[in-house]
Amino acid sequence: MPVVGMAGGGQLARMTQQAAIGLGVSLRVLAGAPDESAAKAVSDARIGNDRSLDDLAAFAKGCDVVTFDHEHVPGPNIRELEAQGVPCRPGSAALAHAQDKLVMRDRLSGLDVPCPAYSHVPPSAPLAFLEAFAREHGRPLVLKATRGGYDGKGVWIVEDLDREAHELVQRLLSEGVDLMVEQHVPFTRELAALVARSPYGQGAAYPIVETVQEGGICTEVISPAHGLSKDLAAEAQSLALRVADELGVVGLLAVELFQTAGGLLVNELAMRPHNSGHWTIEGARTSQFEQHLRAVLDLPLGSTEPTAPYTVMANVLGGDDPDVYSRYIHVMAHDPGVKVHMYGKESRPGRKIGHVTVLGDDLAGLRERARHAADFLRWGPRMKEHR
Amino acid sequence: MPVVGMAGGGQLARMTQQAAIGLGVSLRVLAGAPDESAAKAVSDARIGNDRSLDDLAAFAKGCDVVTFDHEHVPGPNIRELEAQGVPCRPGSAALAHAQDKLVMRDRLSGLDVPCPAYSHVPPSAPLAFLEAFAREHGRPLVLKATRGGYDGKGVWIVEDLDREAHELVQRLLSEGVDLMVEQHVPFTRELAALVARSPYGQGAAYPIVETVQEGGICTEVISPAHGLSKDLAAEAQSLALRVADELGVVGLLAVELFQTAGGLLVNELAMRPHNSGHWTIEGARTSQFEQHLRAVLDLPLGSTEPTAPYTVMANVLGGDDPDVYSRYIHVMAHDPGVKVHMYGKESRPGRKIGHVTVLGDDLAGLRERARHAADFLRWGPRMKEHR
C-alpha cells in the first residue's frame, strides 16, 4: 500500500490520518514538533521544518506522493522537489494560485471567473493609488498581503484613508509585505464550493455550503447552504470544477465565494482539506480527508452524497480556561448526538482547537445544538455572557 | 486529555485509534511487533508481549485506564495490575466471562439467561459422558475448548462419536485442553446484541444485527436484522444490557445470539469492539470504537441512532494473490459509495484483512454491493469461480 507524505503537522493532517487508517494507506507527516496536532496521531511523524528544502527532500524519500496541510511551503522548494522527481500533489504550478492572491486574481480574471475588483498596490505612491481605487470602487477597501495570510491574518478592512491607514500601509510596505487592494463586496452571505480532482482528470463536487465568519475566522458551516437555488448551486459547483481543471489542481480545491445580488464572486482558493469541509466527516459518504487521499493517489474518487438533509459544523475556539475536558464531559452528557472533534492542541484564547458536528433535518435546531456545544466547550457555564 | 492503553495490536485497536483521534484522547497500544495492524496507525505504540505481566505493567504506567483488543491477556495478570492500582476496563472479574466459556455458561444460567444445554467434559471417561449427553440432547454435538478460541478456532462440530471423534477428544485432552460440550441448536439465524456500559452505570444499546457466518468466520453483518420483531429486538437489547449490568462489564459487550423457533439463546460473549459492530463506523451516530473509549473513560455515552435504514458490512478475507491494491482500485471505481476499510495486515488466504460497508434502503441491493466488493477484493475477476 502506498505512502502519502503530508508537509505540516496541523489538524488537517491529523484528520487525514483518520482517513488514511481506513484506506489502509500509510500517512507520513512532517511536523515542526512532536507535540503538534498531527504528530500526536501519526506513527510515522518526522520532525523538521517544512519550509526547508533539505528537510522536505529527506521527508519525501520513500513517499509515493507528497501533499500539503497548508500553503506555506515555499513554491521554489516544491519546484525543486518536482525537479528531483518527487510527485507533489497539488503541484507547484497549481499551488501558486493558493499561495499568492494576486497570481490567483490575475489567473481567474483571465478565465473570466467573477472576482471583486482588485489591483496590486504600487510600493511607490501607494496612498494616491488607493485614493483613486476608492473613488472608483467605493469604501471600505480590503487591503491584503498577497502571500502568507490565513484565518483573517493578512487582511485589513480600511474604512477611511486617514492617518491610521497611511501608517498601516507604510508600516507593511517597510516590512516588505507585498500588498493588493480589493473592492469591499456587499455580499448577502459567504458560500464555499469544495471539489476534488485526480491526475486522471476525474472530478467530484460536494454540496455548496454556507460559511459564517466572525472576525475573519470561520465559526459555522451549514451544508447545504439553506435556500440556495439549484441553479446557483450548480453554477458554484461548475465554477469550482472548472477552476480545478484549468489550474491543474490535484487533490481538493476549496473555493470561497461571496453571494451577492449580482451573482457569485470568488473570494479565496485553498488546495487542501478545508475548514468548510469538516462537515463531510459525518455528513458526506466520503469525507474530504479521504477524498484528498484518493485524489492525490489517483484512486477513483468517492461519492460526495450527503448522509443527512442538513449538517452543521461549528468551530471550537479556545476560551480563557485551558482545561477543556470537564466542559467536554458536559457537552457529551447534554447532547449524545453531537460529534466532538478535538485536535490535540493546547487551548489558547481564540485558537481553533476542535469542531463539533450535528446532523438531521431541523436546521434551526441543529444550529442551536452546534452553537451550544461549541460555546460551552469554549466558555462553560459562562457562555451566556459571551453571546 | 486522558491516555487510554489498549493491550493488543490488532485491527480493533487500529480502528479505535480513528475514534481516539476524533475525541482528542491519546491511545497507547501494546503490540507484539511494529508491523502489527494498530502499531502502524498509532504514534504511541509500545512493543511487547501482552501476556507478560512485566510488559503489561510497564505499558500501563502513565495510562489513565487500560483496556483490551482481545480476550487473551491472562486473568491473573489483569488481577495483578488491578492490585497495583491500574484501572482495567473491563475488569478481570467481568472479563473472566469472555475468557472462559464454561464460567460464562454457569454465570448466565444462574441469571436465567437462556443458553444451549451444556456441560463440562470430564477428563476421565469423556466418551461415555459425551454418549450420554448426545442421548439427551441429540447430535451433532458442539465441542468447545473452554478458553482461547476465536473465529471458529477452538470449536468442533462432532456429527458422530466415531473413531475420529474419539481421537480428537483424546488428542485435545492429552494437550491439556479443557473441554465443554454443547447442544447443537437448530437456529434460524444468528444475531448479535451490542451494548456499552460505563462505570457510572449508563447503558446504551445498538440496533440488533444479523450475522452471517461461513466456516466459523463472520462474513456479513446486516443492521438492523431484517424482519426481526420489535419485541424480539427489545428482548435482545434488554438481555445484553442486563448481562452487562450483572457481570459489571465496563466498555462494550457483544452478545452473540441464536434465533430459534423457541426464542433467543446466547452463543458467545465478547467485551470489546466486535466484528458484528464494524458497521457502526458509518451506520450509527457513535461508532462502537468511540463508544468503547467513552465507556472506559466514564464519559457520557453517545447516541446509537442508525444513520441509514440499512447498513451492510462484509469482511474482506485474504485470497491467494496478496497484491490487494489493484483490486482495491477496481472496487472504488465500480462503486464510489462503498466504504473500504483495510487493516494494514499482510494478506494471507482466509485472513481477515479488512471490511467493506454500504448504507441505504434497498437491503438486497446493499448485500449484493457489499458481497461484490468483498469478493472482488479477495479474488479479483476470478470471484465468480468462488461463488
Side-chain angles (χ1 to χ4, degrees):
Chain A
M1 301 293 280
V3 177
V4 175
M6 189 172 249
Q11 63 262 27
L12 302 177
R14 180 184 175 94
M15 290 184 272
T16 302
Q17 165 71 347
Q18 292 178 291
I21 291 172
L23 290 174
V25 162
S26 297
L27 184 70
R28 176 186 297 178
V29 300
L30 179 57
D35 66 347
E36 284 189 3
S37 179
K40 288 177 172 176
V42 170
S43 57
D44 191 4
R46 311 288 168 102
I47 307 306
N49 177 359
D50 60 22
R51 273 74 164 172
S52 142
L53 178 60
D54 285 351
D55 287 7
L56 283 165
F59 171 72
K61 281 214 177 70
C63 292
D64 293 283
V65 55
V66 168
T67 187
F68 309 95
D69 149 287
H70 56 69
E71 284 85 23
H72 308 307
V73 175
N77 290 351
I78 303 175
R79 286 195 292 279
E80 179 56 32
L81 286 182
E82 289 170 331
Q84 291 174 13
V86 175
C88 295
R89 294 176 180 166
S92 59
L95 201 57
H97 302 90
Q99 295 184 308
D100 188 308
K101 298 179 204 294
L102 189 60
V103 169
M104 182 267 284
R105 283 278 181 257
D106 286 346
R107 182 66 188 275
L108 293 190
S109 300
L111 295 171
D112 287 327
V113 172
C115 292
Y118 74 97
S119 180
H120 185 238
V121 176
S124 62
L127 276 307
F129 182 87
L130 291 173
E131 296 277 7
F133 191 91
R135 275 194 299 275
E136 186 173 353
H137 300 291
R139 290 182 187 167
L141 296 176
V142 183
L143 206 60
K144 291 182 174 179
T146 56
R147 306 175 63 85
Y150 67 98
D151 278 356
K153 293 186 178 70
V155 177
W156 301 267
I157 309 296
V158 177
E159 296 285 344
D160 289 298
L161 289 165
D162 53 10
R163 207 176 95 181
E164 204 180 337
H166 283 231
E167 283 171 5
L168 172 69
V169 170
Q170 291 302 346
R171 178 173 64 75
L172 291 170
L173 290 172
S174 73
E175 287 169 1
V177 176
D178 191 43
L179 288 176
M180 61 185 291
V181 61
E182 290 183 357
Q183 177 187 21
H184 189 274
V185 175
F187 57 82
T188 35
R189 58 177 171 176
E190 292 186 68
L191 304 174
L194 184 67
V195 298
R197 183 174 172 276
S198 72
Y200 183 77
Q202 193 188 0
Y206 286 93
I208 301 303
V209 300
E210 176 175 353
T211 64
V212 180
Q213 326 277 330
E214 285 172 26
I217 295 185
C218 170
T219 55
E220 188 184 6
V221 174
I222 300 161
S223 174
H226 182 61
L228 186 68
S229 74
K230 273 195 179 178
D231 284 354
L232 264 186
E235 183 186 325
Q237 289 181 318
S238 300
L239 182 155
L241 286 168
R242 183 163 81 89
V243 169
D245 201 48
E246 293 280 3
L247 271 48
V249 177
V250 171
L252 289 174
L253 171 71
V255 182
E256 298 180 27
L257 297 159
F258 295 127
Q259 185 177 3
T260 75
L264 301 173
L265 297 176
V266 171
N267 180 18
E268 306 274 0
L269 302 185
M271 296 179 190
R272 49 166 171 79
H274 190 254
N275 200 164
S276 68
H278 290 356
W279 68 274
T280 59
I281 296 175
E282 295 90 4
R285 185 56 59 224
T286 307
S287 83
Q288 65 165 346
F289 302 99
E290 178 178 336
Q291 198 76 294
H292 188 69
L293 288 171
R294 288 167 78 143
V296 302
L297 286 169
D298 206 8
L299 289 167
L301 300 180
S303 165
T304 56
E305 195 187 352
T307 63
Y310 282 106
T311 304
V312 177
M313 189 261 357
N315 279 327
V316 177
L317 305 181
D320 47 14
D321 173 4
D323 173 24
V324 180
Y325 195 66
S326 59
R327 302 195 291 277
Y328 169 95
I329 294 171
H330 169 92
V331 163
M332 289 189 183
H334 180 77
D335 188 345
V338 70
K339 302 316 299 171
V340 178
H341 296 257
M342 300 303 293
Y343 301 157
K345 290 161 74 172
E346 203 186 328
S347 178
R348 289 201 295 264
R351 188 185 203 195
K352 280 184 195 168
I353 58 169
H355 74 265
V356 296
T357 306
V358 288
L359 302 90
D361 46 21
D362 166 23
L363 179 56
L366 293 174
R367 292 188 70 178
E368 174 52 32
R369 287 169 62 197
R371 177 96 339 262
H372 181 280
D375 282 351
F376 199 95
L377 283 164
R378 184 172 189 181
W379 302 115
R382 294 180 297 110
M383 60 184 271
K384 288 192 185 71
E385 301 164 29
H386 295 276
R387 279 198 155 181
Chain B
M1 302 293 280
V3 177
V4 176
M6 188 172 251
Q11 63 261 28
L12 302 178
R14 179 184 176 94
M15 290 185 272
T16 302
Q17 165 72 347
Q18 291 178 292
I21 291 172
L23 290 174
V25 162
S26 297
L27 184 69
R28 176 186 297 178
V29 300
L30 179 56
D35 66 347
E36 284 189 2
S37 179
K40 288 178 173 175
V42 171
S43 57
D44 191 3
R46 311 288 168 102
I47 306 306
N49 177 359
D50 61 22
R51 272 73 164 173
S52 142
L53 178 59
D54 285 351
D55 287 6
L56 282 165
F59 171 73
K61 280 214 177 71
C63 292
D64 293 284
V65 55
V66 168
T67 187
F68 308 95
D69 149 286
H70 56 69
E71 284 85 22
H72 308 308
V73 175
N77 290 352
I78 302 176
R79 285 196 292 278
E80 180 55 33
L81 287 183
E82 289 169 332
Q84 292 174 13
V86 175
C88 295
R89 294 175 179 167
S92 59
L95 202 56
H97 303 90
Q99 295 184 307
D100 188 308
K101 298 179 204 294
L102 191 60
V103 169
M104 181 267 284
R105 283 277 180 256
D106 286 346
R107 181 66 187 276
L108 294 191
S109 300
L111 296 170
D112 287 328
V113 171
C115 292
Y118 74 97
S119 180
H120 185 237
V121 176
S124 61
L127 276 306
F129 181 88
L130 291 173
E131 296 277 6
F133 190 91
R135 275 194 300 275
E136 187 172 354
H137 299 292
R139 290 179 188 172
L141 296 176
V142 183
L143 207 60
K144 291 182 174 178
T146 58
R147 306 175 64 85
Y150 67 98
D151 278 356
K153 292 186 180 71
V155 177
W156 301 266
I157 309 296
V158 176
E159 297 285 343
D160 289 298
L161 288 165
D162 53 10
R163 208 178 94 182
E164 205 181 335
H166 282 229
E167 283 171 6
L168 172 69
V169 170
Q170 290 302 346
R171 179 173 64 75
L172 292 169
L173 290 172
S174 72
E175 287 169 359
V177 176
D178 191 43
L179 288 176
M180 61 186 291
V181 61
E182 290 184 355
Q183 176 188 20
H184 189 274
V185 175
F187 57 81
T188 37
R189 59 177 171 175
E190 292 187 68
L191 304 173
L194 185 67
V195 299
R197 183 174 172 276
S198 72
Y200 183 77
Q202 192 188 1
Y206 286 94
I208 303 302
V209 300
E210 176 175 352
T211 64
V212 180
Q213 325 277 330
E214 285 172 27
I217 295 184
C218 170
T219 54
E220 188 184 5
V221 174
I222 300 161
S223 174
H226 181 61
L228 187 68
S229 74
K230 274 194 178 177
D231 285 354
L232 265 186
E235 183 186 325
Q237 288 181 318
S238 300
L239 182 156
L241 287 167
R242 185 162 79 89
V243 169
D245 201 48
E246 294 279 3
L247 271 48
V249 176
V250 170
L252 290 174
L253 171 69
V255 182
E256 298 180 25
L257 297 159
F258 295 126
Q259 184 177 5
T260 75
L264 301 173
L265 296 176
V266 171
N267 180 19
E268 306 275 358
L269 300 185
M271 296 180 189
R272 49 168 171 77
H274 190 253
N275 200 165
S276 68
H278 291 356
W279 68 273
T280 60
I281 296 175
E282 294 90 3
R285 186 54 61 224
T286 307
S287 83
Q288 64 165 347
F289 302 99
E290 177 177 337
Q291 198 75 295
H292 188 69
L293 288 171
R294 289 168 78 143
V296 302
L297 286 168
D298 206 9
L299 289 167
L301 300 179
S303 165
T304 56
E305 195 187 350
T307 63
Y310 283 106
T311 305
V312 177
M313 190 266 348
N315 278 327
V316 177
L317 305 181
D320 47 14
D321 173 5
D323 173 25
V324 180
Y325 196 66
S326 58
R327 302 194 291 276
Y328 168 95
I329 294 171
H330 169 93
V331 163
M332 289 190 182
H334 180 77
D335 188 344
V338 71
K339 302 316 298 170
V340 178
H341 297 257
M342 300 302 294
Y343 300 157
K345 290 160 74 173
E346 203 186 328
S347 178
R348 289 200 294 264
R351 189 185 202 196
K352 280 184 196 168
I353 57 168
H355 75 267
V356 296
T357 306
V358 288
L359 301 91
D361 46 21
D362 166 23
L363 179 57
L366 294 174
R367 293 188 69 178
E368 174 52 32
R369 286 169 62 196
R371 176 97 337 263
H372 180 280
D375 282 351
F376 200 95
L377 283 164
R378 184 172 188 180
W379 303 116
R382 294 180 297 110
M383 60 184 272
K384 288 193 184 71
E385 301 164 29
H386 295 276
R387 279 200 156 178

